[in-house]
Amino acid sequence: MENQFGVFINKRRNEKQISLRSFSSMIGISPEYLSKIENGLRSAPKGAVVKRISEALVLNDDEQEILFDLAASSKSSPTVAGDLVEYIMNNEIVHQLLRFSKRYNVSDDDFQLIMDMLREKYV
């Protein structure tokens, strides 16, 4: 999969008319490192930096989730978005649900039922 993490950051940064140098200072990394990220030469930085990127760009919830997912997909080995790792580790029932689902190979149809029920309740 093509590294879209850097493209996403570059687009949002330019929309807000923030220079690369200013933005790198805002998020605490060097301009050279940020340039390599934006040009797809480096994968996403650690979760704390990704969070600072999200805050500096003032991303809404949907955009922030996209950013974290793109950060995870930019890595060379499979990983889960940092915000989800934190959520899973802080919510034992979610952790148990995922383990159960893996053990019993829960189907997409079953997950869709769960999603439909949750959407009905929360959205």
Side-chain angles (χ1 to χ4, degrees):
M1 180 177 183
E2 183 182 342
N3 180 355
Q4 293 295 312
F5 178 75
V7 172
F8 182 90
I9 294 170
N10 180 273
K11 181 179 178 192
R12 294 306 190 282
R13 179 179 63 74
N14 284 314
E15 286 171 354
K16 297 196 180 288
Q17 299 179 343
I18 305 171
S19 74
L20 186 133
R21 208 167 272 291
S22 294
F23 192 67
S24 67
S25 178
M26 292 168 70
I27 62 173
I29 63 174
S30 73
E32 295 81 11
Y33 183 40
L34 177 58
S35 177
K36 287 179 180 179
I37 291 169
E38 287 190 358
N39 288 298
L41 301 174
R42 295 288 303 263
S43 63
K46 295 191 183 281
V49 177
V50 175
K51 187 162 180 70
R52 289 196 304 266
I53 290 169
S54 173
E55 292 167 352
L57 291 174
V58 192
L59 299 179
N60 65 36
D61 289 344
D62 290 337
E63 293 170 325
Q64 184 176 25
E65 290 169 358
I66 290 169
L67 180 73
F68 276 101
D69 288 342
L70 290 172
S73 69
S74 77
K75 303 294 185 179
S76 58
S77 60
T79 187
V80 175
D83 62 327
L84 292 179
V85 170
E86 184 178 326
Y87 182 77
I88 292 165
M89 297 312 291
N90 290 331
N91 293 279
E92 181 61 28
I93 193 69
V94 175
H95 188 263
Q96 290 173 9
L97 173 67
L98 291 173
R99 284 283 174 213
F100 180 92
S101 301
K102 180 179 180 271
R103 182 180 303 135
Y104 295 103
N105 198 25
V106 173
S107 72
D108 288 350
D109 290 341
D110 288 338
F111 273 113
Q112 188 61 57
L113 290 171
I114 294 168
M115 281 300 300
D116 292 345
M117 181 198 66
L118 291 173
R119 279 194 182 105
E120 187 174 312
K121 181 173 181 178
Y122 292 103
V123 181

